[in-house]
Amino acid sequence: MERIGIIGAMDIEIELLLGNLELKKKEKIAGFVFHIGKLFGKDVAITSCGVGKVNAASCTQILISKLGVQGIINTGIAGGLHKDVEVCDVVISRDVTHHDVRKRQMKNWFPHQEYFEGDRKLIDVAEKAFKNSQDINSSCHLGRIVSGECFVDDAQLKEQIMKDYSPHCVEMEGSAVGHVAYINDVPFVVIRSISDKADGEATMSYEKFEKITAQNAATIVMNMMKIL
Ligand code: ADE
């Protein structure tokens, strides 16, 4: 992979990466600022796309079509859903899907996929990178990541999503990144660290843990660059 695209939703999710980037140039396209340069020797374009799937989809397509990336990593935080997933843990995407689009629609209409599989090589590299991230004092899980257009902080919605999709965590961009990567035949992986449990206490937990968990995911991305 010549150049890797790295997308966070919020600035806090790419702060650590930008701090370590050997910046060559910045490009602004469709309101997104792309920071182009070398991250631990690897050519990258790093950007924050804003919250939500439309932003993430648009940004992913620009990375592919205009900036010529050959792989995409989505980094950031998420709400934990699986019973084994604790706050500060890391989840790597075995696959991603939209939790707010009916499975029947996904299957019957373009691109005819109920979910989008993370790239095996990027997953392996992410798992190795986690093992090399001694600062992260928590567990790493490989599993499904689901995305939708809402912050999940309601026990009933959480239960419904778990029943329908058996995911490890929920966020608001990863499935759009995976969806657009898939239709362009570009490998991707989503790496998220858990800021909250997507329940009634989610907002409080999110505020307390967003920085450390955003840094957990970014640390893994940095260690991936050393392996790739
Ligand atoms: N990102 C972090 N926590 C989340 C939650 N509970 N729901 C959606 N996106 C999130």
Side-chain angles (χ1 to χ4, degrees), residues 29-30 32 34 57-68:
I29 308 170
F32 306 116
F34 297 92
S58 172
C59 188
T60 303
Q61 190 64 56
I62 291 168
L63 278 168
I64 295 167
S65 301
K66 293 223 181 245
L67 299 177

Side-chain angles (χ1 to χ4, degrees), residues 66-86:
K66 293 223 181 245
L67 299 177
V69 304
Q70 281 119 27
I72 301 204
I73 302 172
N74 176 211
T75 179
I77 66 179
L81 297 175
H82 191 285
K83 65 174 177 34
D84 297 341
V85 173
E86 298 296 339

Side-chain angles (χ1 to χ4, degrees), residues 3 21-25 27 34-37 44-45 67:
R3 183 187 273 173
L21 179 70
E22 246 179 78
L23 182 68
K24 297 238 164 75
K25 63 174 173 173
E27 269 193 55
F34 297 92
H35 304 257
I36 297 163
V44 293
L67 299 177

Side-chain angles (χ1 to χ4, degrees), residues 15 28 68 73 111 114 134 143 158-159 175 184-185 197 213:
E15 210 170 61
K28 193 169 183 181
I73 302 172
E114 279 189 24
Q134 268 92 16
K158 174 175 171 171
E159 283 309 311
S175 67
N184 286 274
D185 202 18
K197 295 277 197 83
T213 50

Side-chain angles (χ1 to χ4, degrees), residues 13 77-80 99 148 150-153 170-173 192-193 195-199 202 206:
E13 291 170 321
I77 66 179
H99 71 69
C150 63
F151 184 82
V152 179
D153 58 358
V170 61
E171 33 82 317
M172 299 175 69
E173 298 82 24
R192 297 275 176 166
S193 182
S195 58
D196 59 83
K197 295 277 197 83
D199 54 14
Y206 178 101

Side-chain angles (χ1 to χ4, degrees), residues 53-153:
K53 294 196 287 176
V54 176
N55 286 328
S58 172
C59 188
T60 303
Q61 190 64 56
I62 291 168
L63 278 168
I64 295 167
S65 301
K66 293 223 181 245
L67 299 177
V69 304
Q70 281 119 27
I72 301 204
I73 302 172
N74 176 211
T75 179
I77 66 179
L81 297 175
H82 191 285
K83 65 174 177 34
D84 297 341
V85 173
E86 298 296 339
V87 169
C88 289
D89 281 3
V90 170
V91 179
I92 297 169
S93 61
R94 179 171 37 76
D95 57 57
V96 298
T97 193
H98 312 295
H99 71 69
D100 52 2
V101 180
R102 284 193 175 164
K103 286 185 188 177
R104 194 141 53 104
Q105 179 183 331
M106 297 289 289
K107 199 166 165 182
N108 290 349
W109 297 93
F110 177 81
H112 303 282
Q113 300 296 314
E114 279 189 24
Y115 53 85
F116 306 98
E117 285 181 8
D119 177 67
R120 196 60 243 180
K121 180 175 172 219
L122 287 174
I123 290 171
D124 288 346
V125 171
E127 288 184 321
K128 281 196 192 101
F130 172 80
K131 290 194 185 112
N132 295 344
S133 306
Q134 268 92 16
D135 297 355
I136 304 176
N137 218 344
S138 54
S139 306
C140 183
H141 312 262
L142 180 63
R144 171 165 293 167
I145 299 180
V146 294
S147 321
E149 298 296 339
C150 63
F151 184 82
V152 179
D153 58 358

